[in-house]
Amino acid sequence: MIKIATIAGSDASGGAGLEADLKTFEEYGLYGMAAVTVIATMDPDAGWGHQVFPVKEEVLRAQMETIFKGVGVAAAKSGMLGTFYAVEVTREYIEGYGIRNYVLDPVMVCKGAGEALNPELNASLAEKLLPLAAVVTPNLFEAAQLSGLDTVSTPARMREAARIIADKGARTVFVKGGAKLAEQNPSGTDAALDIFFDGTSFEVLESPLIKTGWTHGAGCTTAAAITAGLARGLSIHDAVALAKRFITESLSRSFPLNKWVGPGNPGGWRQEFR
Ligand code: PXL
């Protein structure tokens, strides 16, 4: 059995965070483990507003010992870290255990939460974790934050951001244009367009745009799928390309949880066989 880990927040609503990661790992036939960094909750009496409760450093470290020292992994990803010590602990274990298959999902906001959670925290994440990442998976907002560009809203800007982010140490960069790019560039957009940069050349990855409002957890699922592909021995490029197919399938079967939110459906493809 191939073992894999996520270092991420728990999303109590189940669609994003480590819940999305573990569901995705399962679909790839892997044994998934999780170190919880924060617990995110949503308030049904306050328009689904998010609250984030960090897990104590001591508790995070104990989980990391269990996973990295106690078991060992073929690959790992990080998602919402939420604190400076979570960034530092992640760096220590990924570096200390020589995890080459490390995917950095630079989670800075929850969808709908609006703005960067904490610019200094994002800077720390960039400094400490980008140099360890086999792949970093920013959306357009995160690509702007990581690159320092004002806005990233066109494929040309996505390329420019990817190059800057690679210069900061990431081995490869996967900038996700997705539905956001299509929304911002409404002329002739039936594609979800993402860009992969391997440090030398760019590749545009396109799939049919799934027109749904229910996209909660799409970023987590994409990064988890890339990590799972790496754990299974795919090249970074092939892991990214397969993850793009996986998220398209997942989103094509997304569904609402309530009036505010709906997740993708990583295991949905199996329903065809039930
Ligand atoms: O989708 C970003 C995200 C990541 N991680 C956790 C979350 C969210 C958004 O809600 O709750 C734990």
Side-chain angles (χ1 to χ4, degrees), residues 106-166:
V107 176
M108 295 180 182
V109 289
C110 296
K111 277 192 185 68
E115 60 190 59
L117 291 172
N118 183 336
E120 288 89 40
L121 184 61
N122 298 339
S124 163
L125 177 150
E127 183 200 322
K128 294 191 167 158
L129 298 179
L130 276 179
L132 299 175
V135 196
V136 57
T137 60
N139 60 25
L140 296 178
F141 175 83
E142 292 154 355
Q145 292 288 306
L146 289 176
S147 64
L149 294 175
D150 257 3
T151 55
V152 176
S153 55
T154 62
R157 283 297 197 134
M158 288 162 72
R159 285 182 167 80
E160 202 180 331
R163 199 179 276 287
I164 297 169
I165 295 166

Side-chain angles (χ1 to χ4, degrees), residues 224-236:
I226 296 171
T227 317
L230 294 178
R232 297 200 55 166
L234 297 182
S235 67
I236 298 177

